[in-house]
């Protein structure tokens, strides 16, 4: 099956700092999503981005499908950004199931 | 709020028992997916239904089964429960069922604890 690797596994930031999270995948995809899992366990959709660049407030994402990676940028981080960030993909030629990476655990401190 | 609802939020039960988890997809979505999140296995796909029919199967145990009803809600049945079945179970929905099924939206999850 497709492999999805996320880096870094853990990240500690001070409030106001910027960060870049990376997602590498091993095969062609037709769906890529970024999620934030908050401390209560909810999975919140951040971006649906099989290719290209999108921005939503302090967050933006870029997927370069031909090079099999995606980046999530968080600017001016806030304590509410803490949690685990997951990248998930659907490999072309398979059913619509999402394969998740192992996540990046982010802690934003005051 | 994603528009996907799941009940119950929490479930505590004993080994050997059977439980049913319920999911209602977003209005208009025809596909329902079930995922399991455990500490040792991460987030894994279990099964997908599209408009009442099973569309894809993942790492779903034989003790687990699911169905999607005519009103498109879905139920995941877990039987002969073991301690290792303790996990967070998510339901997700998307508009379509095939390749390019669209963005998946996740419900709040059901936290199952088997004692």
């Amino acid at each position: 099956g497709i492999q999805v690797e996320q880096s870094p596994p853990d990240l500690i930031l001070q409030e106001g700092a910027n960060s870049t999270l990376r997602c590498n995948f091993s095969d062609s995809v037709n769906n890529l999503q970024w999620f934030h899992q908050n401390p209560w366990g909810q999975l919140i959709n951040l971006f649906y981005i099989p290719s290209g660049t999108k921005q939503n407030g302090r967050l933006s994402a870029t997927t370069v499908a031909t090079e099999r990676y995606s980046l999530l940028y968080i600017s001016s981080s806030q304590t509410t950004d803490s949690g685990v960030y997951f990248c998930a993909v659907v490999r072309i030629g398979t059913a619509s199931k999402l394969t998740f990476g192992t996540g990046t655990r982010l802690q934003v401190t005051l | 709020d994603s528009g996907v609802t799941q009940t119950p939020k929490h479930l505590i039960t004993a080994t050997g028992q059977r439980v049913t988890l319920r999911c209602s997809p977003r209005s208009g979505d025809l596909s329902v997916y079930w995922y399991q999140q455990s500490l040792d296995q991460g987030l894994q796909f279990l099964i997908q239904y599209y408009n009442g029919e099973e569309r894809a199967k993942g790492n779903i145990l034989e003790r687990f089964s699911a169905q999607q009803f005519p009103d498109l809600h879905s139920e995941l049945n877990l039987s002969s429960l073991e301690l290792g079945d303790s996990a967070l179970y998510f339901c997700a929905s998307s508009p379509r069922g095939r390749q390019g099924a669209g963005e998946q939206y996740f419900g709040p999850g059901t936290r199952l604890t088997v004692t």
Side-chain angles (χ1 to χ4, degrees):
Chain A
I2 191 169
Q3 305 300 313
V4 183
E5 295 179 355
Q6 291 186 243
S7 59
D10 295 280
L11 192 54
I12 300 175
L13 298 175
Q14 273 202 317
E15 201 172 40
N18 302 328
S19 60
T20 301
L21 282 56
R22 186 175 180 104
C23 171
N24 291 334
F25 42 95
S26 61
D27 208 337
S28 299
V29 301
N30 62 5
N31 178 1
L32 188 145
Q33 293 185 237
W34 283 97
F35 297 90
H36 174 215
Q37 187 166 38
N38 64 23
W40 296 270
Q42 276 186 300
L43 273 173
I44 297 161
N45 288 43
L46 297 178
F47 293 102
Y48 171 69
I49 188 166
S51 64
T53 298
K54 290 186 178 179
Q55 178 150 12
N56 184 3
R58 295 181 296 103
L59 302 182
S60 64
T62 294
T63 297
V64 184
T66 53
E67 297 187 21
R68 299 183 184 168
Y69 73 89
S70 183
L71 302 173
L72 178 68
Y73 307 95
I74 304 174
S75 64
S76 304
S77 56
Q78 301 175 357
T79 55
T80 51
D81 295 332
S82 296
V84 183
Y85 289 80
F86 288 103
C87 166
V89 302
V90 174
R91 184 166 70 90
I92 287 177
T94 67
S96 308
K97 62 171 188 174
L98 284 170
T99 300
F100 283 79
T102 51
T104 291
R105 184 173 299 274
L106 173 64
Q107 183 181 350
V108 181
T109 61
L110 291 171
Chain B
D1 185 351
S2 68
V4 179
T5 61
Q6 289 187 249
T7 55
K9 284 189 169 53
H10 302 275
L11 202 45
I12 301 175
T13 189
T15 54
Q17 295 298 305
R18 173 190 169 92
V19 297
T20 297
L21 313 183
R22 194 178 193 278
C23 167
S24 292
R26 293 188 320 154
S27 177
D29 283 358
L30 298 177
S31 267
V32 168
Y33 310 78
W34 288 96
Y35 293 85
Q36 178 195 57
Q37 185 177 29
S38 60
L39 283 175
D40 54 345
Q41 301 277 4
L43 264 157
Q44 290 203 314
F45 168 76
L46 295 178
I47 197 163
Q48 176 198 359
Y49 277 82
Y50 174 72
N51 206 19
E53 294 188 2
E54 182 184 304
R55 181 56 59 89
K57 249 182 176 175
N59 300 321
I60 187 165
L61 299 171
E62 283 191 15
R63 300 182 285 107
F64 296 0
S65 65
Q67 54 185 326
Q68 187 179 27
F69 295 87
D71 66 352
L72 300 177
H73 91 271
S74 177
E75 293 181 355
L76 179 66
N77 301 297
L78 315 176
S79 62
S80 303
L81 285 167
E82 302 175 0
L83 295 177
D85 298 328
S86 296
L88 192 48
Y89 290 84
F90 287 104
C91 169
S93 74
S94 72
R96 299 173 296 279
R98 295 191 176 277
Q99 287 287 301
E103 186 171 0
Q104 293 184 30
Y105 288 86
F106 281 69
T110 293
R111 189 173 296 277
L112 173 66
T113 303
V114 182
T115 62

